[in-house]
């Protein structure tokens, strides 16, 4: 798990360094901002943003774990369903309202060459490809885990050789797995709920981390206090709500304490990490350079595809199709309201960020 987290941070760092160090041949600049004498004030707000976003992200990702302390929020209670649906609504709105429009803005900018960027809808294409790759990753991971579980079961029972020689045992394993772990939907229906959420949480964190670093870099590179002020509050709530969504998946994945802590920490520090890099390269980073627009646009498009797919397929669909919810009208009503509230509040933040 430590190795996986290190690889994620290394991947994001390399992409950011590519934005910063690549020589820009064609550059388009916006109207100059009236920020003379405001650099120190802008830096003050950046440091405030760094601290508040760090705390909010950590608090959000830890919040679902209070279910271990508060009985009413344990996974066996209806309250946990309500919180999960709220978090899924937040993630869905993040993909549709925050990330995807940013990607469209970047890849359709007038600062990019008309050919090829004006000839093809690259934003939708990248989002579609990311969605399909997410599906392929989930199905291949599920197949690998099922195979590993079956091999471990056969080994424990002293059964080796061709699986076809013991079809009765394979059938018993499949029946036992289904009966033990309940009903699931989507591309990982044969897995236990715990294994499914382990895959979901890893992919979801990757999608969130990519976007979090990009928005942190943009804030850190800005030198206009009027731009930064509303972003401080908006991004603080942004990270808090996203943290709830990710924390819920990590909680249900039942990772060991160290692994859960590492995943939570990686999420919490990504936006502050982006802010620090933005501060360090304020004088050289050009947000309207063709390189920055293309890299940010592609990353945001991919992130949007991942977040939208996971919110609908991996988070909302299994819960709303769960017989437990379908038999409980009050739980259905509460979940519907929670979904609208989560998506609505996250959408409202788009007014400022």
């Amino acid at each position: 798990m430590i190795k996986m987290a290190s690889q994620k941070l290394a991947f994001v760092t390399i992409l950011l360094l590519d934005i910063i160090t690549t020589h820009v041949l064609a550059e388009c600049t916006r109207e100059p901002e009236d920020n003379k004498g405001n650099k120190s004030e802008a830096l003050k707000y950046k440091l405030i943003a760094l601290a508040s976003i760090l705390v909010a992200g950590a608090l959000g990702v830890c919040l679902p774990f209070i279910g271990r302390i508060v009985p009413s929020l344990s996974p066996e209670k209806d309250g946990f369903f309500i919180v999960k649906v709220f978090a899924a609504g937040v993630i869905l709105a993040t993909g549709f309202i925050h990330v995807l429009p940013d990607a469209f803005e970047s890849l359709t900018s007038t600062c990019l060459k008309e050919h090829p960027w004006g000839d093809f809808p690259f934003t939708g294409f990248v989002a579609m490809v990311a969605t399909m790759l997410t599906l392929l990753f989930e199905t291949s991971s599920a197949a690998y885990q099922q195979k590993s579980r079956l091999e471990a079961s056969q080994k424990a029972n002293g059964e080796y050789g061709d699986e076809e020689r013991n079809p009765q045992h394979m059938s018993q394993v499949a029946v036992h797995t289904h009966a033990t772990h309940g009903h699931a939907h989507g591309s990982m229906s044969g897995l236990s709920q715990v294994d499914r959420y382990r895959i979901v949480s890893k992919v979801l964190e990757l999608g969130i981390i990519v976007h979090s670093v990009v928005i942190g870099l943009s804030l850190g590179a800005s030198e206009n206090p009027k731009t930064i002020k509303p972003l401080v509050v908006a991004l603080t709530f942004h990270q808090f709500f996203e943290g709830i969504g990710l924390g819920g998946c990590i909680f249900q994945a039942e990772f060991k304490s160290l692994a859960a802590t590492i995943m939570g920490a990686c999420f919490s520090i990504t936006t502050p990490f982006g802010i620090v890099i933005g501060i360090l390269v304020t004088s050289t980073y050009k947000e309207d350079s063709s390189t920055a627009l293309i890299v940010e646009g592609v990353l945001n498009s991919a992130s949007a595809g991942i977040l939208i797919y996971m919110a609908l397929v991996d988070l909302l669909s299994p819960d709303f199709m769960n017989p437990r919810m379908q038999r409980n009208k009050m739980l259905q009503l509460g979940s519907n309201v929670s979904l609208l509230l989560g998506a609505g509040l996250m959408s409202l933040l788009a007014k400022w960020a």
Side-chain angles (χ1 to χ4, degrees):
M1 182 59 64
I2 296 177
K3 182 179 179 182
M4 179 189 71
S6 301
Q7 290 174 341
K8 288 180 181 177
L9 288 177
F11 169 74
V12 174
T13 303
I14 292 172
L15 289 173
L16 289 174
L17 291 176
D18 180 66
I19 297 174
I20 298 166
T21 59
T22 301
H23 178 68
V24 180
L25 298 178
E27 187 175 295
C28 173
T29 58
R30 294 176 181 172
E31 293 296 324
E33 296 176 339
D34 183 16
N35 60 355
K36 289 184 178 180
N38 288 335
K39 289 186 177 180
S40 60
E41 185 181 0
L43 179 60
K44 179 183 72 174
Y45 285 115
K46 290 176 189 179
L47 295 178
I48 292 174
L50 193 153
S52 64
I53 290 173
L54 178 62
V55 172
L59 181 61
V61 80
C62 292
L63 196 60
F65 289 85
I66 67 173
R68 295 176 177 174
I69 303 173
V70 181
S72 61
L73 292 178
S74 64
E76 293 78 19
K77 302 294 183 179
D78 291 345
F80 189 77
F81 262 81
I82 303 296
V83 173
K84 280 176 58 185
V85 171
F86 176 89
V90 167
I91 293 171
L92 184 63
T94 298
F96 273 119
I97 307 300
H98 292 265
V99 189
L100 197 59
D102 287 346
F104 271 111
E105 183 179 358
S106 296
L107 295 182
T108 59
S109 172
T110 55
C111 298
L112 295 179
K113 293 181 179 179
E114 180 67 22
H115 305 287
W117 301 104
D119 300 330
F120 187 78
F122 284 99
T123 305
F125 177 75
V126 174
M128 178 187 69
V129 171
T131 301
M132 292 190 295
L133 290 177
T134 302
L135 173 64
L136 294 177
F137 174 79
E138 287 188 347
T139 52
S140 60
S141 297
Y144 174 78
Q145 290 198 23
Q146 287 178 328
K147 181 180 179 181
S148 299
R149 187 183 295 275
L150 179 60
E151 290 177 349
S153 177
Q154 289 179 336
K155 185 175 181 180
N157 287 277
E159 298 170 1
Y160 303 94
D162 191 350
E163 296 173 353
E164 294 181 356
R165 296 177 183 175
N166 197 357
Q168 182 179 0
H169 176 71
M170 290 180 64
S171 177
Q172 292 173 349
V173 170
V175 170
H176 173 73
T177 301
H178 182 77
T180 303
H181 300 293
H183 187 63
H185 296 269
S187 60
M188 299 179 285
S189 58
L191 289 180
S192 69
Q193 291 283 23
V194 172
D195 287 338
R196 188 174 71 85
Y197 272 103
R198 285 181 177 176
I199 296 174
V200 168
S201 59
K202 292 174 185 178
V203 180
L204 180 60
E205 179 164 23
L206 177 61
I208 292 176
I209 280 179
V210 170
H211 174 59
S212 295
V213 177
V214 170
I215 60 176
L217 176 63
S218 299
L219 187 151
S222 175
E223 293 185 339
N224 187 350
K226 293 182 179 180
T227 301
I228 299 173
K229 283 182 183 180
L231 287 177
V232 175
V233 178
L235 292 182
T236 297
F237 281 101
H238 186 284
Q239 291 301 103
F240 176 73
F241 288 146
E242 278 193 343
I244 293 176
L246 178 61
C249 288
I250 295 175
F251 176 77
Q252 288 192 289
E254 298 182 8
F255 286 113
K256 294 182 179 178
S257 297
L258 178 60
T261 301
I262 292 174
M263 293 185 71
C266 286
F267 164 77
S268 301
I269 66 174
T270 46
T271 300
F273 174 70
I275 293 174
V276 170
I277 292 182
I279 293 173
L280 295 176
V281 300
T282 298
S283 59
T284 57
Y285 176 78
K286 303 298 181 182
E287 63 179 3
D288 289 319
S289 70
S290 58
T291 302
L293 288 169
I294 293 170
V295 174
E296 289 183 8
V298 170
L299 289 179
N300 278 333
S301 298
S303 179
I306 293 172
L307 295 179
I308 293 170
Y309 170 88
M310 303 205 73
L312 292 173
V313 177
D314 291 332
L315 301 179
L316 289 173
S317 179
D319 283 347
F320 277 86
M321 296 298 292
N322 192 310
R324 174 180 169 185
M325 181 180 291
Q326 293 180 342
R327 288 192 299 263
N328 190 332
K329 298 299 182 182
M330 291 303 298
L331 181 58
Q332 284 186 35
L333 177 62
S335 298
N336 290 335
V337 172
S338 182
L339 173 61
L340 294 174
L341 187 61
L345 288 175
M346 199 64 184
S347 299
L348 182 62
L349 290 180
K351 181 176 175 61
W352 299 281

